[in-house]
Amino acid sequence: GESVGLHLPTLSVQEGDNSIINCAYSNSASDYFIWYKQESGKGPQFIIDIRSNMDKRQGQRVTVLLNKTVKHLSLQIAATQPGDSAVYFCAENYTGRRALTFGSGTRLQVQP
Amino acid sequence: GAVVSQHPSWVICKSGTSVKIECRSLDFQATTMFWYRQFPKQSLMLMATSNEGSKATYEQGVEKDKFLINHASLTLSTLTVTSAHPEDSSFYICSALPGMGEAFFGQGTRLTVV
């Protein structure tokens, strides 16, 4: 049956500050990682991705860092804005598997 | 980016009835689509992989006779929740891949069974 609702970890930041959202993964075979943003009542929206042959990738206001040694992924958002408030999920897969496995998510709350 | 559209966005149905959810790739062909379920304050859980022209592949614990998936064309996959019960109330999300790389997601369907 349905699990008891879990409380998503919440990161609360001030507008203009930088945000860092973390994600741990367990599958050492995973070689492709994506960060998604999900607003209430909507589907996930792609933010940035990274392959396992890289340890850092930058986009517009966002940076993803990958540490394969400790199986850790992070998303850095620069100059966080109120519109960044959402739930953020990391997702992973590996060569030969096309479906994504999602992490548990982090709620980002941006205080004006 | 690529667009994936789901319909309906929300639906309320009576217990015991069936509900069909459509997932369309609007500007690309998708031989594979995925169906996820998301309960409140939880992550997305993969239910099944929908394969065009063949049977869907279901994840462990997902009843294939309850969640019927049909992928009749390269742009459309449907999920039918049969004999729905209140515990099936959830947010159902589909995704598709235009190629190798990022997956694009539909806007989700909120199902409420009363």
Side-chain angles (χ1 to χ4, degrees), chain A residues 38-99:
Chain A
Q38 187 180 30
E39 297 175 314
S40 181
K42 297 184 179 180
Q45 177 186 358
F46 173 89
I47 300 174
I48 192 168
D49 60 358
I50 188 168
R51 296 197 178 276
S52 59
N53 60 351
M54 303 174 68
D55 53 19
K56 180 179 180 179
R57 191 158 187 236
Q58 288 184 297
Q60 186 176 15
R61 280 203 307 122
V62 295
T63 300
V64 55
L65 298 178
L66 174 63
N67 185 329
K68 295 181 289 293
T69 302
V70 296
K71 299 190 187 69
H72 184 268
L73 193 68
S74 69
L75 175 69
Q76 300 177 1
I77 304 174
T80 313
Q81 303 168 359
D84 295 327
S85 294
V87 177
Y88 289 80
F89 293 97
C90 65
E92 60 184 287
N93 74 358
Y94 52 86
T95 302
R97 175 173 169 84
R98 304 192 78 195

Side-chain angles (χ1 to χ4, degrees), chain A residues 2-8 32 34 36 38 41-44 46 49 51 89 97-100 102-104 107, chain B residues 31-32 34 36 38-44 46 49 59 87 89 91 93 97 99-103 105-107:
Chain A
E2 180 177 341
S3 302
V4 173
L6 302 173
H7 289 285
L8 289 170
Y32 180 57
I34 310 176
Y36 284 94
Q38 187 180 30
K42 297 184 179 180
F46 173 89
D49 60 358
R51 296 197 178 276
F89 293 97
R97 175 173 169 84
R98 304 192 78 195
L100 294 170
F102 281 80
S104 55
R107 181 178 302 281
Chain B
T31 56
T32 305
F34 305 94
Y36 293 82
Q38 185 179 30
F39 292 112
K41 298 184 180 180
Q42 294 190 26
S43 188
L44 284 75
L46 180 67
T49 301
E59 295 298 298
E87 57 265 33
S89 298
F91 194 53
I93 309 171
L97 287 76
M100 297 304 295
E102 66 179 279
F105 286 81
Q107 70 270 38

Side-chain angles (χ1 to χ4, degrees), chain B residues 21-97:
Chain B
I21 303 169
E22 294 186 346
C23 179
R24 293 180 185 274
S25 56
L26 296 186
D27 51 1
F28 65 96
Q29 294 182 332
T31 56
T32 305
M33 293 185 177
F34 305 94
W35 287 97
Y36 293 82
R37 180 168 52 185
Q38 185 179 30
F39 292 112
K41 298 184 180 180
Q42 294 190 26
S43 188
L44 284 75
M45 297 300 295
L46 180 67
M47 298 175 67
T49 301
S50 173
N51 305 299
E52 188 268 335
S54 65
K55 293 182 179 180
T57 304
Y58 290 82
E59 295 298 298
Q60 190 173 9
V62 178
E63 300 175 57
K64 62 180 181 181
D65 294 331
K66 180 168 185 62
F67 299 100
L68 301 180
I69 291 173
N70 184 280
H71 195 150
S73 78
L74 288 170
T75 59
L76 174 64
S77 174
T78 61
L79 168 69
T80 301
V81 183
T82 63
S83 187
H85 289 96
E87 57 265 33
D88 297 324
S89 298
S90 189
F91 194 53
Y92 292 87
I93 309 171
C94 70
S95 77
L97 287 76

